[in-house]
């Protein structure tokens, strides 16, 4: 979330410390020139390039840079290279900018050198390649070398678990010599290996009490370092007894409706969770009512495809008149007016939604394109919005400029944000700009004569999505300038609250830096506007996080967490171990209080409920099934599993995002069967019950600060039980998940997470009394959950 803050800082300490000895204070007036909270710099293995333009909109204002006691010099673009190895896990980059000091957290590298070996299936194998989460699943990026009777390579990786598959002379296979494997979410498995040292116990820090301008926090016994920031200034923490620390809230926060204190810590080896403490006019926020729709951590998002939600104006219905298009792949009549009607009707408010994400609204191609020819043969219309032929014009099948402006105005009147889906990566071949400047796009054919389509990993930044969808040449800055200006048209012409960016990883980072720089400059002139930018990247956490920083995006959708959730809640044979690992991994890469989108589903996946109730097997081709089978709900089990998935997403860090229809358990295979028309007023008992349970979860999420700013700690995780707590200044929410439970069990809540009284959502078989949780098996029930608050 990009927010411009200018404030006077009359007395701020130069460094944080972990003792009660004070430091000399700065008394000159201070202005914060960094937009929002400075994203931490994560050092790499050898040297690290930092673009200070990510933090400051005018790098000419940089006067001095200091790191680890040494001065660093930036080039004319504001780029610096850090080669020093800090002595601590958390250090600080100090930048003097326009005579004002700014502090940026720096995290020591977590990268290790890992020697990987593989014994081939035959001594006749000549070429061994590896694809996996360490190289973006691009086998051409990692070719192993022959070492005796094995093939080997040295990898520089972050400490952690990695998935991979082997390619012998072009043939993909599992590593038969490695028994460690994990389900890949598509009915098969990947091998795994661990790089670095497994850490069984991590250090922790906790919020304890806020009183009279002072924040009290505590740390586990191993914590050896604490770094505290008020906005983008490092301040001190005074160490007291029993591993507690006091932080004085700077008086300058009196002038700010919203400011933040951040706390980072380590035990000298690894980082702890981080704390994010929101302030309002110098006081710690203690009620959700103090938050507004610009506080994105209090958001619950809802995504709908315009054409598939509500038909509000039959006058613009215009399906493509081509018999080659199956009805489910054609326009069905949904429009912007239909979405506006549902806002006015109070549907979203009733559910608790305060942010809606609208699929692309630009004018899309006419006619029939593409081809599906398995089981059923069909072409497609551009009903979905991802084939633009005009980048500043509303699709006339969805409405017009007035329709979008009314939607935004009505949403704002109902205290809702509107985020628009923006397609920057490609256009349709009928776009006039492509016809005028074909040299602005990447070649369709590679040097070897093969077609560069759907090469998602091997040619990530140049591949075409289809033969009629040319990819822009983002390596050319002239193209970047033109296309970012087009994106800014939507910011300047409509009162939007942000973008969902399509195909993020397929676009050069220069585009994201240029666009975000323009967003910041616009924000300086319009400080009332807060814009949230979230991307779409399928890949490793390292790849995903590389786009999330002060100079690029606020967040991306966390597909790795979604895949782990589908596995944990959708498969009876899976436990919660991998879900916990991926959850911890996400918080480590993106921060304990990240703004990642946590989805219930999306337009590119089969509906979760149809996996969960057995309508689709994980080993089946979900797209083929969607064309050839009439998939309907199959009993209560799928609804129960979807309710559990919703409970998980509503109680973990990030921004929950409901894919339209998941609140009532709409079934379906993959695209286009997962894009059926939304329906209202004809729900059966299971659908109505799921809606009401989702409604309760959303309302709890929006009204309990432990679920928006609280830190997450896992209390128990075994084969059948997953218990975690979200904790914020004495407010605690405990979530209990069970699977395939056979015996009754009890769990005593640790004293530091006890509430004075407890309420629950009212699940089945799980109770809390005298600070003890009891779970009783329910016959025939494969999954149960409860939330205590």
């Amino acid at each position: 979330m990009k927010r411009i803050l200018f404030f006077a800082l009359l007395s701020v300490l130069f460094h944080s410390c972990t003792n009660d000895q004070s430091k000399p204070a700065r008394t000159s007036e201070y202005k914060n020139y960094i937009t929002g909270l400075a994203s931490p710099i994560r050092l790499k293995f050898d040297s690290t390039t930092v673009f200070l333009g990510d933090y400051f909109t005018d790098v000419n204002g940089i006067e001095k840079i200091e790191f680890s006691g040494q001065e660093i010099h930036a080039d004319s673009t504001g780029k610096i290279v850090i080669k020093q190895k800090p002595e601590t896990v958390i250090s600080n980059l100090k930048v003097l900018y326009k005579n004002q000091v700014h502090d940026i957290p720096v995290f020591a590298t977590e990268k290790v050198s890992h020697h990987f070996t593989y014994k081939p299936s035959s001594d006749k194998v000549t070429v061994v390649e590896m694809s996996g989460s360490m190289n973006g699943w691009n086998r051409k990026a990692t070719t192993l070398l022959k070492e005796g009777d094995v093939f080997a390579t040295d990898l520089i990786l972050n400490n952690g678990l990695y998935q991979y598959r082997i390619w012998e002379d072009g043939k993909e296979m599992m590593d038969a010599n490695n028994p460690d494997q994990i389900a890949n979410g598509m009915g098969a498995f990947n091998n795994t290996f661990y790089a670095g040292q497994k850490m069984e116990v991590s250090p922790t820090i906790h919020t304890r009490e806020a009183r009279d301008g002072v924040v009290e926090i505590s740390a586990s016994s191993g914590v050896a370092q604490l770094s505290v920031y008020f906005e983008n200034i490092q301040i001190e923490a005074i160490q007291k007894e029993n591993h507690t620390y006091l932080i004085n809230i700077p008086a300058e926060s009196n002038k700010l409706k919203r400011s933040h204190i951040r706390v980072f810590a380590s035990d000298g080896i690894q980082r702890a969770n981080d704390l994010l403490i929101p302030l309002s006019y110098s006081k710690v926020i203690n009620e959700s009512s103090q938050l507004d729709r610009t506080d994105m951590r209090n958001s619950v998002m809802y995504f709908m495809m315009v054409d598939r939600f509500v038909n509000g104006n039959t006058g613009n219905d215009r399906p493509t008149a081509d018999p080659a298009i199956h009805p489910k792949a054609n326009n069905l009549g949904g429009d912007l007016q239909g979405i506006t009607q549902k806002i006015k009707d109070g549907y979203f408010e009733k559910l608790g939604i305060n942010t809606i994400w609208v699929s692309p609204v630009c004018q899309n191609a006419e006619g029939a394109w593409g081809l599906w020819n398995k089981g059923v043969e069909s072409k497609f219309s551009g009903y979905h919005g991802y084939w633009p032929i005009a980048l500043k014009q509303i699709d006339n099948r969805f409405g017009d400029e007035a329709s979008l402006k009314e939607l935004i105005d009505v949403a704002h009147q109902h205290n809702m944000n509107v985020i628009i889906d923006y397609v920057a990566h490609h256009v349709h071949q009928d776009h006039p700009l492509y016809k005028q400047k074909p040299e602005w796009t990447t070649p369709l054919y590679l040097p070897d004569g093969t077609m560069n389509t759907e090469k998602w990993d091997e040619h990530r930044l140049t591949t075409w999505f289809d033969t009629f969808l040319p990819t822009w040449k983002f390596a050319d800055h002239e193209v970047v300038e033109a296309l970012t200006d087009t994106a800014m048209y939507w910011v300047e012409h409509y009162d939007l609250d942000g973008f969902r960016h399509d195909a993020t990883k397929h676009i050069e980072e220069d585009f994201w830096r240029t666009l975000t720089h323009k967003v910041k400059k616009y924000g300086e002139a319009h400080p009332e506007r807060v814009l949230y930018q979230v991307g779409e990247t399928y890949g490793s956490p390292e790849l995903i996080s590389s786009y999330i920083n002060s100079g690029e995006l606020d967040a991306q959708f966390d597909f790795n967490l979604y895949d782990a959730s589908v596995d944990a809640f959708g498969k009876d044979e899976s436990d919660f171990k991998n879900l916990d690992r991926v959850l911890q991994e996400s918080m480590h890469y993106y921060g304990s209080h990240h703004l990642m989108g946590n989805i219930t589903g999306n337009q590119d996946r089969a509906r979760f409920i149809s996996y969960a109730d057995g309508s689709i097997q994980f080993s089946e081709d979900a797209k083929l099934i969607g064309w050839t089978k009439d998939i309907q709900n199959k009993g209560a089990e799928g609804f129960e599993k979807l309710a559990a998935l919703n409970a998980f997403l509503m109680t973990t860090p990030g921004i929950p995002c409901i894919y339209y229809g998941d609140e009532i358990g709409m079934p379906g295979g993959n695209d286009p069967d997962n894009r059926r028309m939304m329906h209202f007023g004809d729900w059966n008992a299971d659908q109505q019950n799921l809606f009401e349970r989702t409604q309760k979860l959303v309302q709890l999420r929006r009204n309990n600060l432990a679920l928006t700013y609280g830190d997450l700690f896992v209390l128990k995780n075994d084969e059948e039980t997953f218990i975690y707590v979200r904790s914020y200044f004495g407010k605690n929410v405990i979530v209990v998940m069970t699977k395939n439970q056979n015996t009754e069990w009890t769990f005593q809540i640790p004293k530091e997470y006890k509430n004075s009284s407890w309420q629950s959502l009212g699940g089945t078989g799980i109770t809390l009394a005298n600070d003890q949780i009891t779970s009783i098996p329910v016959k025939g029930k494969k999954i149960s959950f409860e939330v205590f608050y």
Side-chain angles (χ1 to χ4, degrees):
M1 179 171 49
K2 308 301 178 193
R3 188 190 298 268
I4 308 296
L5 297 173
F6 294 95
F7 59 93
L9 188 56
L10 302 178
S11 178
V12 177
L13 298 174
F14 219 80
H15 299 281
S16 69
C17 62
T18 54
N19 55 54
D20 60 0
Q21 296 178 356
S22 62
K23 299 279 185 179
R26 272 195 314 254
T27 57
S28 59
E29 182 177 303
Y30 187 90
K31 288 185 178 179
N32 175 26
Y33 289 99
I34 294 179
T35 300
L37 300 175
S39 58
I41 297 166
R42 296 169 183 259
L43 298 181
K44 301 187 182 302
F45 191 69
D46 292 319
S47 63
T48 305
T49 299
V50 179
F51 298 92
L52 291 178
D54 289 353
Y55 300 94
F56 303 99
T57 56
D58 179 11
V59 296
N60 292 319
I62 298 172
E63 298 166 3
K64 187 176 181 180
I65 308 160
E66 183 182 298
F67 179 67
S68 290
Q70 298 181 33
E71 186 173 353
I72 300 176
H73 298 281
D75 68 11
S76 60
T77 67
K79 182 175 71 175
I80 64 172
V81 177
I82 298 177
K83 297 181 178 180
Q84 299 94 322
K85 301 297 182 184
E87 296 179 356
T88 55
V89 173
I90 303 165
S91 51
N92 187 72
L93 182 76
K94 194 171 294 295
V95 181
L96 184 65
Y97 182 89
K98 294 185 178 181
N99 202 35
Q100 309 296 334
V101 173
H102 297 73
D103 293 308
I104 303 173
V106 179
F107 296 161
T109 185
E110 296 177 326
K111 292 192 176 295
V112 296
S113 179
H114 180 82
H115 188 67
F116 179 88
T117 61
Y118 170 74
K119 187 173 183 179
S121 59
S122 165
D123 57 9
K124 297 180 181 180
V125 173
T126 59
V127 178
V128 175
E129 300 161 314
M130 178 169 62
S131 64
S133 56
M134 82 296 298
N135 64 5
W137 295 97
N138 177 12
R139 66 185 175 98
K140 295 299 182 182
T142 308
T143 300
L144 281 63
L145 300 177
K146 189 75 179 294
E147 291 183 359
D149 62 348
V150 301
F151 286 78
T153 187
D154 289 310
L155 303 167
I156 304 299
L157 302 170
N158 281 332
N159 201 82
L161 186 74
Y162 292 87
Q163 301 181 40
Y164 71 97
R165 293 179 75 87
I166 291 293
W167 295 75
E168 289 187 354
D169 293 330
K171 182 180 179 181
E172 185 179 9
M173 61 185 60
M174 293 284 286
D175 183 348
N177 303 302
N178 182 4
D180 297 331
Q181 55 184 237
I182 193 170
N184 67 2
M186 296 178 287
F189 291 84
N190 296 324
N191 289 110
T192 65
F193 68 85
Y194 200 95
Q197 181 181 357
K198 291 184 179 181
M199 302 293 184
E200 298 299 331
V201 179
S202 299
T204 57
I205 51 177
H206 309 255
T207 53
R208 287 302 177 217
E209 187 179 0
R211 61 183 187 277
D212 300 327
V214 176
V215 172
E216 181 180 317
I217 66 173
S218 64
S220 58
S221 59
V223 168
Q225 180 191 10
L226 208 67
S227 293
V228 185
Y229 293 77
F230 170 67
E231 291 299 296
N232 297 309
I233 296 297
Q234 204 170 16
I235 62 176
E236 74 168 356
I238 302 172
Q239 185 173 357
K240 296 297 183 181
E241 298 177 349
N242 300 321
H243 308 291
T244 62
Y245 299 80
L246 299 182
I247 302 168
N248 291 310
I249 299 174
E252 293 69 35
S253 62
N254 276 320
K255 304 169 186 177
L256 299 171
K257 178 185 176 183
R258 185 71 70 250
S259 58
H260 300 84
I261 289 174
R262 291 185 291 172
V263 185
F264 303 100
S266 83
D267 61 1
I269 299 174
Q270 57 181 332
R271 284 184 287 114
N273 59 293
D274 58 82
L275 303 179
L276 179 65
I277 302 169
L279 308 174
S280 180
Y281 302 115
S282 80
K283 296 186 181 299
V284 172
I285 290 177
N286 57 19
E287 295 293 340
S288 294
S289 59
Q290 296 173 264
L291 304 175
D292 59 37
R293 66 181 178 86
T294 66
D295 292 295
M296 289 305 294
R297 287 174 181 82
N298 195 42
S299 293
V300 177
M301 192 184 300
Y302 188 98
F303 169 48
M304 77 285 288
M305 300 201 80
V306 177
D307 180 66
R308 302 302 170 96
F309 197 59
V310 175
N311 190 342
N313 178 10
T314 57
N316 59 26
D317 290 2
R318 196 161 47 82
T320 301
D322 190 322
I325 302 177
H326 190 284
K328 67 170 61 178
N330 210 334
N331 291 75
L332 297 183
D335 48 37
L336 297 170
Q337 295 97 319
I339 298 172
T340 303
Q341 286 178 14
K342 296 311 292 184
I343 298 173
K344 291 179 177 179
D345 291 348
Y347 180 77
F348 298 109
E349 284 182 289
K350 183 179 180 181
L351 185 56
I353 301 299
N354 64 352
T355 299
I356 58 172
W357 154 25
V358 179
S359 62
V361 297
C362 291
Q363 185 67 50
N364 261 234
E366 302 281 352
W369 301 89
L371 179 66
W372 174 267
N373 59 0
K374 297 179 182 178
V376 172
E377 185 168 302
S378 177
K379 292 188 175 183
F380 301 82
S381 76
Y383 71 89
H384 41 67
Y386 294 95
W387 297 346
I389 60 170
L391 296 180
K392 296 182 180 179
Q393 180 182 333
I394 304 292
D395 195 303
N396 53 29
R397 291 162 290 194
F398 297 161
D400 54 21
E401 179 180 313
S403 304
L404 180 56
K405 287 188 173 180
E406 182 191 16
L407 187 159
I408 295 169
D409 289 344
V410 171
H412 288 172
Q413 291 164 18
H414 289 75
N415 294 314
M416 294 171 57
N417 298 308
V418 179
I419 292 171
I420 199 164
D421 203 321
Y422 188 73
V423 183
H425 173 264
H426 59 264
V427 288
H428 190 275
Q429 67 181 35
D430 288 344
H431 195 293
L433 184 58
Y434 171 62
K435 295 179 179 180
Q436 294 167 13
K437 291 184 175 291
E439 71 276 12
W440 276 18
T441 61
T442 62
L444 176 58
Y445 289 91
L446 295 166
D448 64 3
T450 60
M451 195 174 289
N452 187 11
T453 56
E454 298 187 359
K455 296 184 182 295
W456 313 122
D457 303 313
E458 188 176 347
H459 295 282
R460 175 167 63 88
L461 296 171
T462 60
T463 193
W464 289 31
F465 283 20
D466 211 322
T467 56
F468 55 88
L469 298 174
T471 293
W472 293 116
K473 188 187 295 182
F474 291 102
D476 184 339
H477 190 71
E478 182 184 9
V479 176
V480 167
E481 284 290 340
L483 293 178
T484 51
D485 282 346
T486 302
M488 286 305 298
Y489 165 83
W490 295 91
V491 173
E492 296 162 355
H493 199 66
Y494 297 95
D495 194 17
L496 292 165
D497 303 293
F499 291 117
R500 178 268 186 184
H501 290 296
D502 189 56
T504 300
K505 75 173 184 179
H506 298 291
I507 298 175
E508 298 273 1
E509 288 187 67
D510 182 37
F511 175 88
W512 303 118
R513 285 196 159 93
T514 303
L515 175 58
T516 298
H517 183 267
K518 292 178 179 181
V519 167
K520 290 178 180 179
K521 294 294 288 186
Y522 180 85
E524 291 175 359
H526 303 83
E528 74 284 356
R529 294 285 296 277
V530 177
L531 291 170
Y532 168 74
Q533 296 191 86
V534 59
E536 177 212 30
T537 291
Y538 291 87
S540 68
E542 185 166 16
L543 176 63
I544 293 168
S545 64
S546 69
Y547 291 91
I548 303 169
N549 54 66
S550 290
E552 299 184 66
L553 303 180
D554 298 297
Q556 300 215 58
F557 288 97
D558 195 344
F559 295 113
N560 294 312
L561 185 65
Y562 177 69
D563 288 341
S565 301
V566 171
D567 182 72
F569 296 108
K571 296 180 180 178
D572 295 337
E573 66 273 19
S574 297
D575 58 27
F576 295 110
K577 295 285 188 181
N578 187 57
L579 180 62
D580 181 16
R581 181 191 65 80
V582 176
L583 175 63
Q584 301 295 336
E585 185 176 64
S586 290
M587 291 190 292
H588 189 75
Y589 270 92
Y590 317 127
S592 302
H593 303 275
H594 60 70
L595 290 166
M596 299 289 284
N598 294 332
I599 59 173
T600 63
N602 79 353
Q603 74 273 35
D604 296 321
R605 302 289 185 93
R607 294 278 183 173
F608 169 82
I609 196 169
S610 296
Y611 282 124
D613 68 11
S615 296
I616 304 174
Q617 300 301 311
F618 283 93
S619 58
E620 290 183 299
D621 183 337
K623 185 168 285 194
L624 176 62
I625 292 294
W627 282 105
T628 58
K629 182 178 177 182
D630 180 22
I631 301 172
Q632 300 298 330
N633 294 129
K634 194 189 291 186
E637 183 177 320
F639 287 93
E640 191 66 29
K641 291 178 177 178
L642 180 51
L645 171 65
N646 289 341
F648 175 74
L649 298 177
M650 293 296 165
T651 57
T652 47
I655 297 179
C657 180
I658 297 173
Y659 180 45
Y660 83 97
D662 281 345
E663 71 270 33
I664 59 170
M666 278 179 59
N670 206 338
D671 166 24
D673 195 42
N674 57 355
R675 305 173 181 185
R676 302 179 189 183
M677 200 71 183
M678 181 65 183
H679 60 101
F680 304 89
D682 59 349
W683 301 341
N684 61 34
D686 285 329
Q687 292 168 332
Q688 182 64 40
N689 178 259
L690 179 62
F691 178 87
E692 292 171 0
R693 296 175 79 179
T694 305
Q695 181 185 40
K696 288 181 180 179
L697 284 163
V698 174
Q699 297 290 357
L700 178 60
R701 168 78 182 208
R702 295 267 322 273
N703 292 294
N704 194 305
L705 285 173
L707 294 178
T708 50
Y709 286 98
D711 278 76
L712 185 149
F713 305 101
V714 174
L715 305 180
K716 183 180 181 182
N717 186 359
D718 57 27
E719 291 184 358
E720 63 178 31
T721 309
F722 190 27
I723 304 175
Y724 56 90
V725 61
R726 297 289 302 278
S727 183
Y728 176 82
F729 287 108
K731 300 177 188 289
N732 298 296
V733 175
I734 293 180
V735 182
V736 184
M737 305 276 182
T738 69
K739 288 187 69 173
N740 305 318
Q741 185 179 347
N742 296 313
T743 59
E744 179 179 337
W745 56 257
T746 61
F747 179 81
Q748 193 70 34
I749 298 173
K751 62 181 181 180
E752 60 266 34
Y753 302 124
K754 292 180 180 180
N755 286 348
S756 57
S757 62
W758 293 98
Q759 300 180 62
S760 69
L761 288 181
T764 304
I766 304 173
T767 59
L768 190 157
N770 299 319
D771 296 318
Q772 180 174 278
I773 298 170
T774 302
S775 181
I776 301 172
V778 178
K779 186 177 181 180
K781 199 164 191 177
K782 296 180 179 179
I783 193 164
S784 297
F785 72 91
E786 184 57 281
V787 182
F788 299 103
Y789 56 97

